[in-house]
Amino acid sequence: MGKLKVCGGNTLRGSLRVQGAKNSVLPILAASILVRGESLLRNCPNLKDVDAAIAILRYLGCQVTRDEGDVHIDSAAIVRRDIPDELMREMRSSVIFLGAILGRCGEAVLSMPGGCELGPRPINLHLDALRVLGAEIEEHGGNIICRAERLVGASVHLASPSVGATENAMLAAVSAVGETIITNAAREPEIVDLQNFLKAAGARIHGAGTPTITIQGGGMMRPVTHRIMPDRIVAATYLSAVAFAGGRLELEDIVPGHVTAVTDALRAAGCEITVREDNLQLVSTGRLRAISPVMTGPYPGFPTDAQPCLLTACVKSKGTTVFMENIFQNRYRYVEELRRMGADIKLEGRVAVVTGVERLTGAAVSAADLRGGAALVVAALGAAGETVISEAEHIDRGYDGIAETLGALGADVERTDDV
Ligand code: EPZ
């Protein structure tokens, strides 16, 4: 299993171009199934989750080639309409393929996506939305079998603004006959990026980024080229890393408006942040102040995916900071590892109380999930001595070349595989 070895204490300095967004490229790869021809995606990050999504596309019959950040998909011939267990297990968010396969083939069979490290990952909102659009769904032998002779546009109200359920409803509605109005839709920037891809392919869709998305379905989708938006969570991670370790970071190719919740928190903690059009600069002494309570929530609230790295940046702050995790049950698994490094964090259900300590000390720690693993890297950068992070493959699911990126900023980070 992969390991990252970090010698902490270096001040970080430099600029980096933010990679393409994992949580945008995944639904857009699924959406490419709806194009009966070629899609060219630019600025795709090199991630394990992208590899898993490409494996699913190839299994379904798509021709997929990669050239650096360009992914070329030819979906002219879809020969299968199921995703087998071994491919579903590679990536929990594979459920996002459901609406697209159903829309293209009239049937989709997926093995039930298990939970993940973050806790149970129910898909009731996805299935409810597809039923409203005319799908018949049965669960049998660990599989979800969806059939729809004809998907028909309808009013789809989401009980909660689920990102994945919004995306699945959009992808099914594009193939439905008539108008679909999705209400209480998720408003994340990745939903807007998906809409931009679909519009470029000829879909009649508007409203993404607001709670109401309207789709006139049934049109033919034509070949499309689309550039994936920058990854706001990766940006938040590197900003937190430099805030905690101390130094200066310039982020290029970022949408500052996508990370406002995070930059507001880092400014309150004492970082100097300047914003230009698609560029953002952070300066930090490394010694931060405690900040007012951070509550995670659907966009534009504070993103749950950025909670681990911001919480970590607070562990040496003067004072106490309270975090409330409102999205996932098991988002705090990395806290135990931070305690091994000397952090003072009390957990009570969804609440974490972080009391600043003078110093963190490097230790042997283990990544339990993607964002928790990234938080351990942030901690190691601001800790005295050496930290070895095992199960580092969790981190590779979402961060393209994290060791090289941090090394270029002056961090002492080395990837070592298990001996
Ligand atoms: C997306 O997951 C992201 N993944 C997650 O990022 C992100 O944390 C999450 O949105 C919230 O922003 C991708 O985009 C691939 P949800 P998703 O449906 O769509 C409950 C990362 O680290 N829920 O908005 O699965 C669910 O249990 C990943 O990059 C239901 O109850 O998130 C959770 O508590 C982690 N029933 C809440 O809603 C459903 O049918 C939000 O989930 C669906 C969700």
Side-chain angles (χ1 to χ4, degrees), residues 22-24 26-27 49 91-96 116-128 158 160-167 186 188 190-191 231-233 297-299 302-306 325-329 331 350 369-372 397-399:
K22 168 180 86 78
N23 292 349
S24 173
L26 295 179
D49 273 10
M91 182 179 66
R92 189 256 155 223
S93 45
S94 309
V95 68
I96 190 54
C116 77
E117 311 86 7
L118 298 177
R121 301 291 290 273
I123 60 167
N124 57 306
L125 300 174
H126 300 241
L127 303 184
D128 293 349
L158 296 177
S160 70
S162 152
V163 171
T166 301
E167 291 164 345
E188 273 71 1
E190 292 77 17
I191 306 276
D231 193 312
R232 60 194 171 99
I233 305 302
Y299 194 85
F302 191 91
T304 174
D305 294 344
E325 170 56 45
N326 295 311
I327 305 288
F328 290 116
Q329 278 174 8
R331 223 345 152 196
R350 290 177 176 268
D369 59 64
L370 164 57
R371 305 303 175 183
R397 284 189 42 223
Y399 293 85

Side-chain angles (χ1 to χ4, degrees), residues 49-71:
D49 273 10
V50 172
D51 298 343
I54 289 175
I56 290 171
L57 289 176
R58 285 180 173 142
Y59 173 84
L60 294 172
C62 302
Q63 306 294 319
V64 185
T65 53
R66 283 201 77 147
D67 174 11
E68 300 283 320
D70 287 356
V71 174

Side-chain angles (χ1 to χ4, degrees), residues 127-150:
L127 303 184
D128 293 349
L130 296 180
R131 284 191 184 95
V132 168
L133 292 168
E136 282 164 28
I137 300 173
E138 53 178 297
E139 293 172 36
H140 180 70
N143 283 330
I144 307 164
I145 300 129
C146 293
R147 287 192 189 87
E149 286 306 306
R150 206 163 67 109

Side-chain angles (χ1 to χ4, degrees), residues 37-333:
E38 307 194 358
S39 304
L40 173 58
L41 305 182
R42 296 197 185 288
N43 195 35
C44 293
N46 181 17
L47 303 171
K48 285 164 64 85
D49 273 10
V50 172
D51 298 343
I54 289 175
I56 290 171
L57 289 176
R58 285 180 173 142
Y59 173 84
L60 294 172
C62 302
Q63 306 294 319
V64 185
T65 53
R66 283 201 77 147
D67 174 11
E68 300 283 320
D70 287 356
V71 174
H72 185 271
I73 305 126
D74 184 341
S75 303
I78 295 290
V79 296
R80 293 193 181 98
R81 50 192 63 190
D82 69 298
I83 302 181
D85 195 50
E86 64 272 16
L87 289 179
M88 281 299 288
R89 288 185 184 281
E90 277 299 298
M91 182 179 66
R92 189 256 155 223
S93 45
S94 309
V95 68
I96 190 54
F97 281 84
L98 187 55
I101 298 172
L102 185 65
R104 173 73 187 261
C105 307
E107 184 186 37
V109 181
L110 271 60
S111 73
M112 198 57 172
C116 77
E117 311 86 7
L118 298 177
R121 301 291 290 273
I123 60 167
N124 57 306
L125 300 174
H126 300 241
L127 303 184
D128 293 349
L130 296 180
R131 284 191 184 95
V132 168
L133 292 168
E136 282 164 28
I137 300 173
E138 53 178 297
E139 293 172 36
H140 180 70
N143 283 330
I144 307 164
I145 300 129
C146 293
R147 287 192 189 87
E149 286 306 306
R150 206 163 67 109
L151 289 167
V152 179
S155 296
V156 175
H157 180 75
L158 296 177
S160 70
S162 152
V163 171
T166 301
E167 291 164 345
N168 255 327
M170 289 163 73
L171 294 179
V174 162
S175 307
V177 175
E179 179 175 83
T180 295
I181 300 179
I182 305 169
T183 50
N184 199 26
R187 299 166 52 191
E188 273 71 1
E190 292 77 17
I191 306 276
V192 178
D193 213 28
L194 176 60
Q195 172 177 279
N196 292 340
F197 171 85
L198 293 170
K199 282 171 88 163
R204 288 170 294 161
I205 177 171
H206 65 270
T210 77
T212 304
I213 301 174
T214 305
I215 299 125
Q216 300 297 338
M220 273 303 278
M221 303 280 275
R222 56 174 180 263
V224 56
T225 295
H226 177 79
R227 188 174 192 281
I228 300 295
M229 62 173 260
D231 193 312
R232 60 194 171 99
I233 305 302
V234 167
T237 306
Y238 290 128
L239 288 168
S240 301
V242 178
F244 187 56
R248 173 193 295 271
L249 174 65
E250 180 161 10
L251 290 184
E252 294 156 11
D253 192 15
I254 180 174
V255 179
H258 288 172
V259 291
T260 311
V262 176
T263 49
D264 286 353
L266 290 173
R267 261 198 199 98
C271 296
E272 224 182 277
I273 294 178
T274 45
V275 173
R276 279 184 284 281
E277 211 172 291
D278 62 351
N279 178 299
L280 191 150
Q281 191 171 84
L282 173 141
V283 179
S284 168
T285 61
R287 191 79 179 138
L288 302 177
R289 295 189 288 270
I291 55 177
S292 40
V294 177
M295 334 276 268
T296 66
Y299 194 85
F302 191 91
T304 174
D305 294 344
Q307 175 258 89
C309 55
L310 182 74
L311 185 150
T312 300
C314 295
V315 297
K316 291 196 294 185
S317 297
K318 298 186 200 85
T320 297
T321 301
V322 175
F323 287 77
M324 165 81 86
E325 170 56 45
N326 295 311
I327 305 288
F328 290 116
Q329 278 174 8
N330 300 352
R331 223 345 152 196
Y332 288 129
R333 296 175 66 191

